[in-house]
């Protein structure tokens, strides 16, 4: 029969082992909790820093998208009046006074966009395309460049305007810009209209009329 001192010793040893095991488990659990909290805090900080770095580029993207949409609205306002573009500076327009007046107003709107909305777009190629369009419109409409080729004047202006529309749509979509192309020269000989190097798929739609 085990005597009392030995029993007490065994009981004390078991108790110490239980307490020690519990303390170790508590320590491990606490360490794991602190480690998890530290990882979560580090992850949150990383995400917040990334958001701070991304915010300016998002604002730029939003600003350029809004500006591109505004410029597209201006171009849409001119598109329907392009047949009267060669009449803008003529004393006796081939079409109507109403059409000539509206074409002139739409040209002014497009030109105004060059000094307002266009400045919100940073890409130099986009700016160059738009400014080239404005110069082309005023060469045809006010200087009478290419007067001997009226239909070609209209088609040149329409096609280059569509080229600029394609450029602005690419800015909005975040897509690659169409390739740069030398603009049409209104004073060149011949009746063949200018075409851009990259044609959007919808240009093949017979209903488009271009």
């Amino acid at each position: 029969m085990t005597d009392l001192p030995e029993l007490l010793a065994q009981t004390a040893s078991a108790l110490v082992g239980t307490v020690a095991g519990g303390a170790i488990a508590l320590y491990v659990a606490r360490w794991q909790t602190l480690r998890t909290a530290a990882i979560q805090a580090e992850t949150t900080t990383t995400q917040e820093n990334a958001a701070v770095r991304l915010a300016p580029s998002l604002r730029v993207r939003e600003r350029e998208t809004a500006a591109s949409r505004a410029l597209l609205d201006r171009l849409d306002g001119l598109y329907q009046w392009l047949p009267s573009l060669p009449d803008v500076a003529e004393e006796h327009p081939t079409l109507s006074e109403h059409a000539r007046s509206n074409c002139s107003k739409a040209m002014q709107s497009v030109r105004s966009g060059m000094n307002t909305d266009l400045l919100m777009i940073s890409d130099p190629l986009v700016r160059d395309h738009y400014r080239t369009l404005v110069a082309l419109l005023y060469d045809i409409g006010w200087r009478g460049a290419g007067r001997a080729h009226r239909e070609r004047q209209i088609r040149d202006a329409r096609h280059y305007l569509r080229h600029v529309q394609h450029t602005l749509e690419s800015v909005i979509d975040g897509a690659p810009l169409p390739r740069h192309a030398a603009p049409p020269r209104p004073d060149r000989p011949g009746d063949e209209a200018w075409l851009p190097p990259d044609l959007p798929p919808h240009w093949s739609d017979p209903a488009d009329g271009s």
Side-chain angles (χ1 to χ4, degrees):
M1 180 174 179
T2 306
D3 56 13
L4 183 60
E6 184 177 351
L7 179 61
L8 292 174
Q10 291 176 349
T11 301
S13 176
L15 182 61
V16 169
T18 300
V19 172
I24 293 173
L26 181 63
Y27 174 80
V28 171
R30 178 176 174 78
W31 179 85
Q32 289 176 334
T33 299
L34 293 175
R35 177 59 178 165
T36 300
I39 292 174
Q40 290 175 340
E42 182 179 352
T43 301
T44 299
T45 300
T46 301
Q47 292 173 341
E48 290 175 348
N49 290 339
V52 169
R53 289 193 299 269
L54 186 60
S57 62
L58 288 176
R59 287 194 294 270
V60 170
R61 168 78 176 146
E62 291 173 355
R63 184 176 68 242
E64 293 192 341
T65 297
S68 296
R69 293 188 188 281
L71 292 174
L72 283 173
D73 287 342
R74 294 178 187 271
L75 296 182
D76 286 342
L78 173 63
Y79 189 86
Q80 62 179 315
W81 302 111
L82 283 178
S84 290
L85 179 62
D87 293 339
V88 169
E90 295 293 334
E91 184 177 352
H92 301 290
T94 300
L95 300 180
S96 68
E97 291 282 355
H98 172 74
R100 179 174 67 174
S101 174
N102 279 288
C103 185
S104 179
K105 290 176 182 177
M107 287 174 62
Q108 293 173 15
S109 174
V110 170
R111 185 175 184 177
S112 176
M114 182 176 66
N115 300 314
T116 54
D117 303 311
L118 188 63
L119 299 180
M120 299 296 102
I121 300 176
S122 59
D123 194 296
L125 184 60
V126 178
R127 293 189 179 194
D128 179 65
H129 284 182
Y130 193 92
R131 289 169 176 158
T132 299
L133 172 64
V134 172
L136 176 65
L137 295 172
Y138 275 77
D139 277 348
I140 294 174
W142 288 105
R143 194 167 65 83
R147 185 179 286 108
H149 304 276
R150 179 184 175 90
E151 290 304 316
R152 193 195 67 194
Q153 285 178 312
I154 297 169
R155 291 176 67 83
D156 280 351
R158 179 184 291 125
H159 289 173
Y160 199 80
L161 185 147
R162 296 298 299 276
H163 180 53
V164 175
Q165 286 178 321
H166 187 193
T167 301
L168 294 171
E169 289 168 356
S170 297
V171 173
I172 293 170
D173 296 339
L177 298 178
R179 285 177 291 160
H180 178 71
R185 293 185 299 104
D187 291 326
R188 72 189 186 280
D191 294 321
E192 185 176 354
W194 178 91
L195 286 173
D198 298 319
L199 298 180
H202 55 270
W203 274 36
S204 61
D205 184 355
D208 178 67
S210 61

